[in-house]
Amino acid sequence: MPPAPHRSYPKTIAFIGDIHREWQYVARGLDACDPQPEVAILLGDIECQRPLDDVAAPLLDRGIQVFWIFGNHDNDGGPDMWANMVGPIRNPRTAPGALHARVVDIDGLRIAGLGGTFRPRIWEPPDPPRVQRRADLPADLEKLGPHWHDDHRNALAHSLGATAIWPEDYDRLATQRADILVTHEAPSSHPAGNAALDALARAMGAQLIVHGHHHVCYRAVAPDGLRALGVAAGWGLTADGTTLWRGEAPRNLGQLLHRWSLEDMPPTG
């Protein structure tokens, strides 16, 4: 891929970092944001104690279209918390915005989503996958042995089935085209990220990866022009990195690896 020039992205799309139930950041940010974004993309770790349709009221009540992926903490409260996020009956307004393992056209941009994180029991690149498909998980968990009680085995099965990055989803996305890849897990631009997400973006022809998970805001570029944007917890950023509003104090990024270079963040919008 040749180096990609900076592209002008619609500033009406707000990428919102891990909310972790702290919706006051979003509500306060939107109160001070003029003009309002037309679209919001939630980067996971929302932790829905109530249906997403209810907790996302600060966005929905302003007429903002909501898309979302899940993070590694969105199943912490078990199946009921998970259903509060993904259940279409509970969420008639936000269920159509589920972005995981699909590509949608938003304002002329093809945006793909991949929720969750890499889990060693399933797949932790660069190692090959242990389990390729969710349908194969019950047989794999039988290998845990008789000392595992059924309730523990079932809880693990639900957690892995829900919030792991699955090879079957990754492979499905790799056959499609997108301009932006939205992930919860970080690519290798983050010191704790994974180059498998870089490879997925390149396979899809994406020029930008937007991720959450690590609660840090930064922009970085790889030698071939692939760009990454990290969004900290509760922050709202546009695709070019402009800050629409601030959330939780960002964590430290650390030393970039794999020849990624930091880019300056644009001024607050």
Side-chain angles (χ1 to χ4, degrees), residues 21 23 91 96 100 114 127-129 181 184 211 217 221 232 258 267 269:
R21 312 182 197 177
W23 279 92
N91 299 294
H100 173 72
L114 182 68
D127 293 336
L181 173 62
H184 185 70
H211 75 87
C217 289
V221 60
H258 310 296

Side-chain angles (χ1 to χ4, degrees), residues 122 129-138 140 166-169:
I122 305 303
R130 287 193 67 260
V131 187
Q132 185 73 26
R133 303 175 306 147
R134 290 175 180 82
D136 300 329
L137 182 58
D140 182 72
W166 281 83
E168 61 180 334
D169 297 337

Side-chain angles (χ1 to χ4, degrees), residues 44-149:
D45 278 1
I46 301 165
E47 298 184 49
C48 295
Q49 292 184 304
R50 294 180 288 122
L52 181 58
D53 275 16
D54 294 345
V55 298
L59 297 163
L60 296 170
D61 290 352
R62 289 173 169 86
I64 298 171
Q65 188 177 11
V66 174
F67 293 86
W68 52 273
I69 58 172
F70 51 83
N72 55 303
H73 288 293
D74 285 313
N75 187 57
D76 282 2
D80 194 57
M81 175 179 279
W82 180 248
N84 277 338
M85 186 177 197
V86 306
I89 295 176
R90 301 186 188 191
N91 299 294
R93 300 174 72 187
T94 55
L99 193 55
H100 173 72
R102 62 188 285 242
V103 179
V104 299
D105 187 293
I106 302 175
D107 209 10
L109 287 174
R110 297 168 300 178
I111 301 183
L114 182 68
T117 55
F118 291 109
R119 302 278 294 273
R121 185 83 198 178
I122 305 303
W123 183 28
E124 190 167 31
D127 293 336
R130 287 193 67 260
V131 187
Q132 185 73 26
R133 303 175 306 147
R134 290 175 180 82
D136 300 329
L137 182 58
D140 182 72
L141 293 183
E142 287 297 323
K143 301 173 185 177
L144 291 172
H147 61 285
W148 273 72
H149 298 295

